[in-house]
Amino acid sequence: MPADTVCLTFDFDAVSPWIHVGDGRNTPTNRSRGLYGAEVGAPNVLDFLAERDLPATWFVPGHTIDSFPMVCERVADAHEVAHHGWSHTPPGDYDSRADERADVVRGIESVERLTGSPPAGYRSPSWDYSEHTVDILLELGFDYSSSGMAREFAPYRARRDAAPADGPYERGEALDLVEVPVSWARDDYPPLAFSGDRGYTPEPAVFADWRAQVEHAPDDGVAVYTMHPQVIGRPDRLAKLGAFVEHAREAGATFAEVGEVAAGADV
Ligand SMILES: [Zn+2]
């Protein structure tokens, strides 16, 4: 059965991930990959979505909003804008809760300047959480996050779990924060972006797998696809994504923003 709902999501990282990455990878050439995303990939993706009347959610670091305001205004005019850190630092990399919280607050301020309102949704840079992330999101009023992987196609409520090294895993209570789960199997970056230690998967295989996932998802499922303008925003890849969209539509799937899914989730 096809997934009922497909969420096309775009993590508009631009140059931000390269600035905070270690290992000497913050170089002009690496940053140029992000420039492609901001100056070419994102406009291509916006045109693609407009031509097909497709909703989408863009998770945008504050650094991208503040660095590339014109293309971000185009994003905000057409689509949901959600939070993706200010600096795109993975939460586990902060030295303190205060430092992590300050970056989230700064990211909210950037989104507010762009859209006029605070973001309802959050996606962690690198999809990781620190032990503080859920509390910070609750404290700052987020309605949902799209970073967890405890389910494949079903939204669920985030919890504060404990994982002591010397005892069993402890589940916390369900919290007032909806998780709309992601999957590495529906992310363009690992198969299609050369990353030093990772190769490159033949593109037809990637899109065939994405089709299979829509076909095999439960009929009330939500399939979140995570893409990056610097990866997917090339004409040949967008043509393949267009064929995927047609296939999903013919299979009965509808397309929605993540915020819409989270607001309607009965969890
Ligand atoms: Zn990102």
Side-chain angles (χ1 to χ4, degrees), residues 48-228:
F48 170 92
L49 296 170
E51 286 163 10
R52 291 162 181 77
D53 197 23
L54 285 164
T57 299
W58 292 63
F59 294 90
V60 190
H63 184 274
T64 298
I65 294 171
D66 297 351
S67 303
F68 306 100
M70 288 175 64
V71 67
C72 289
E73 283 173 18
R74 280 193 64 194
V75 170
D77 283 346
H79 302 290
E80 178 188 12
V81 175
H83 196 292
H84 195 41
W86 186 87
S87 63
H88 202 278
T89 302
D93 288 359
Y94 288 104
D95 292 331
S96 70
R97 183 189 194 281
D99 288 350
E100 180 183 350
R101 186 183 183 283
D103 191 83
V104 177
V105 168
R106 190 176 180 186
I108 291 172
E109 292 167 354
S110 294
V111 173
E112 277 188 308
R113 278 197 301 277
L114 176 65
T115 68
S117 54
Y122 171 83
R123 173 170 286 162
S124 157
S126 303
W127 286 346
D128 215 351
Y129 283 169
S130 75
E131 299 301 328
H132 309 297
T133 305
V134 167
D135 284 330
I136 290 170
L137 298 181
L138 287 167
E139 180 194 338
L140 295 175
F142 285 91
D143 296 327
Y144 78 86
S145 179
S146 183
S147 316
M149 305 181 200
R151 296 292 182 273
E152 181 76 33
F153 298 111
Y156 60 96
R157 291 205 173 268
R159 300 188 310 246
R160 264 183 226 98
D161 290 357
D166 59 352
Y169 190 82
E170 298 169 8
R171 292 177 181 80
E173 289 183 13
L175 301 170
D176 195 18
L177 182 74
V178 175
E179 275 284 0
V180 184
V182 292
S183 171
W184 286 113
R186 293 188 297 278
D187 185 323
D188 63 355
Y189 208 92
L192 297 180
F194 178 72
S195 175
D197 56 350
R198 283 198 302 264
Y200 199 78
T201 307
E203 295 187 13
V206 175
F207 289 93
D209 189 50
W210 285 13
R211 285 184 180 206
Q213 295 195 48
V214 168
E215 289 165 4
H216 293 287
D219 61 8
D220 59 350
V222 179
V224 175
Y225 288 79
T226 299
M227 295 165 278
H228 301 75

Side-chain angles (χ1 to χ4, degrees), residues 10-14 32-52 58 60 64 68-76 78-79 228-235 238 241:
F10 298 90
D11 292 3
F12 190 6
D13 299 338
S32 75
R33 299 168 70 174
L35 282 180
Y36 179 90
E39 296 173 354
V40 183
N44 285 348
V45 171
L46 287 164
D47 291 345
F48 170 92
L49 296 170
E51 286 163 10
R52 291 162 181 77
W58 292 63
V60 190
T64 298
F68 306 100
M70 288 175 64
V71 67
C72 289
E73 283 173 18
R74 280 193 64 194
V75 170
H79 302 290
H228 301 75
Q230 60 186 283
V231 178
I232 201 77
R234 296 159 200 272
L238 288 173
L241 182 64

Side-chain angles (χ1 to χ4, degrees), residues 246-258:
E246 282 308 305
H247 179 85
R249 279 180 162 158
E250 286 168 10
T254 57
F255 290 79
E257 294 177 345
V258 183

